[in-house]
Amino acid sequence: MASNSLEAWSRSASRPVSPGPGQAGMAGRWAAMMGGTALGLLGVRRGGWGGVALGAVGAGLFLAGAVGAGAVGRPLEAGLAAVRRGGAPARRRPHRTPERTQAVVTIAAPAETVYRFWRNFANLPKLMPWLDRVEVLSATESHWIAKGVDGEPVRWRAVLDRDDENALLTWHTAGETPLPHRASLMLKPAPGGRGTEVRLTLVHRHPPSDVAQLLGLAPDRQGEEALRRLKQRIETGELSTLERQPHGERGLGFGSGSAGREEGTR
């Protein structure tokens, strides 16, 4: 019964419905009411959230036909597409799916050494050539200035979310920025006592191609390059030649205790 109704409604919906009074308008209203009834029956049979959604679409179609609302063709087409897909019309996502990339490297050094260097965000331009500088504003906030491909600087404010000493750092951009993203650095012992496994995760709101247009390098390449330089600096002992970080509350370098002192000072 429901199947026959759906087929009849599908045939009716495939023909254009002219708005306005008269036979054509009445035919469109009847098609909407029939389609709404069919969708409601299908929703009852399906059950669950999908059935509820189909029932809601059917009720809307029936009401549109009953009151003679204009532009019946649009809800009819949306309902027909739902039946063909076997579910309710898909909702548009308010934002695109974030793009997540990861880079991993093993560094022949204890986690504390890696943590102390990265914890002072002012050190990061030494690992990321696309960064001009990072200004540490407080124990949890910093201002990043990147070198834009077009010569214009790309700026954002970063807020530290989590700080597990020698284990995990997470941060995200805040406020208006052309490059919204979040990131994390995870440290754990490498298998076989080979040092520390370092995992850098970047999650961007924009596709990699857009990020590359801004900074000249896609996120996956950014992570790989940053960890390659980090490994080289730490394993070759270059940390001892780096400048001292500013003093202040927790060192104002996103550090705490000894981790807040200059990365190469022991």
Side-chain angles (χ1 to χ4, degrees), residues 55 74 104 128 142 149 158 166 169 172 186 188 193 196 217 224:
R74 288 184 182 176
V104 184
M128 307 175 186
S142 56
V149 171
N166 303 333
L169 292 168
H172 71 278
M186 181 179 295
K188 67 178 184 179
T196 303
L217 206 61
E224 292 170 359

Side-chain angles (χ1 to χ4, degrees), residues 1-13 30-42 45 76 80 83:
M1 179 81 177
S3 175
N4 292 336
S5 300
L6 284 172
E7 290 176 5
W9 172 63
S10 177
R11 289 194 297 271
S12 300
W30 276 109
M33 295 171 68
M34 291 174 61
T37 301
L39 276 177
L41 291 173
L42 185 60
R45 291 174 58 188
L76 275 173
L80 181 58
V83 174

Side-chain angles (χ1 to χ4, degrees), residues 171-258:
W171 63 96
H172 71 278
T173 57
E176 293 295 327
T177 172
L179 199 65
H181 64 277
R182 53 190 173 87
S184 68
L185 187 79
M186 181 179 295
L187 311 174
K188 67 178 184 179
R194 294 184 293 115
T196 303
E197 181 182 285
V198 184
R199 182 181 301 271
L200 176 62
T201 302
L202 301 173
V203 182
H204 284 83
R205 276 290 180 188
H206 299 309
S209 57
D210 289 359
V211 178
Q213 285 182 357
L214 278 175
L215 303 182
L217 206 61
D220 57 339
R221 295 292 307 280
Q222 290 179 17
E224 292 170 359
E225 179 68 12
L227 293 191
R228 183 188 69 80
R229 288 171 175 256
L230 178 66
K231 176 181 174 71
Q232 182 181 31
R233 279 187 170 271
I234 292 180
E235 292 186 349
T236 59
E238 292 184 31
L239 293 182
S240 60
T241 66
L242 300 177
E243 66 272 13
R244 300 185 63 83
Q245 80 174 47
H247 295 283
E249 181 186 358
R250 301 185 67 189
L252 292 184
F254 291 132
S256 59
S258 61

Side-chain angles (χ1 to χ4, degrees), residues 110-123 136 138-139 160 163-169 185 187 239 243-266:
E112 180 185 6
T113 302
V114 180
Y115 169 85
R116 289 176 60 194
F117 182 83
W118 198 287
R119 184 62 172 82
N120 177 14
F121 280 14
N123 287 325
V136 177
S138 72
L160 188 67
D163 178 7
D164 296 346
E165 189 171 358
N166 303 333
L168 177 66
L169 292 168
L185 187 79
L187 311 174
L239 293 182
E243 66 272 13
R244 300 185 63 83
Q245 80 174 47
H247 295 283
E249 181 186 358
R250 301 185 67 189
L252 292 184
F254 291 132
S256 59
S258 61
R261 296 193 295 270
E262 200 280 328
E263 65 288 348
T265 304
R266 291 171 173 79

Side-chain angles (χ1 to χ4, degrees), residues 16-29 68-73:
V17 180
S18 301
Q23 254 186 347
M26 184 60 68
R29 293 174 60 181
V72 172

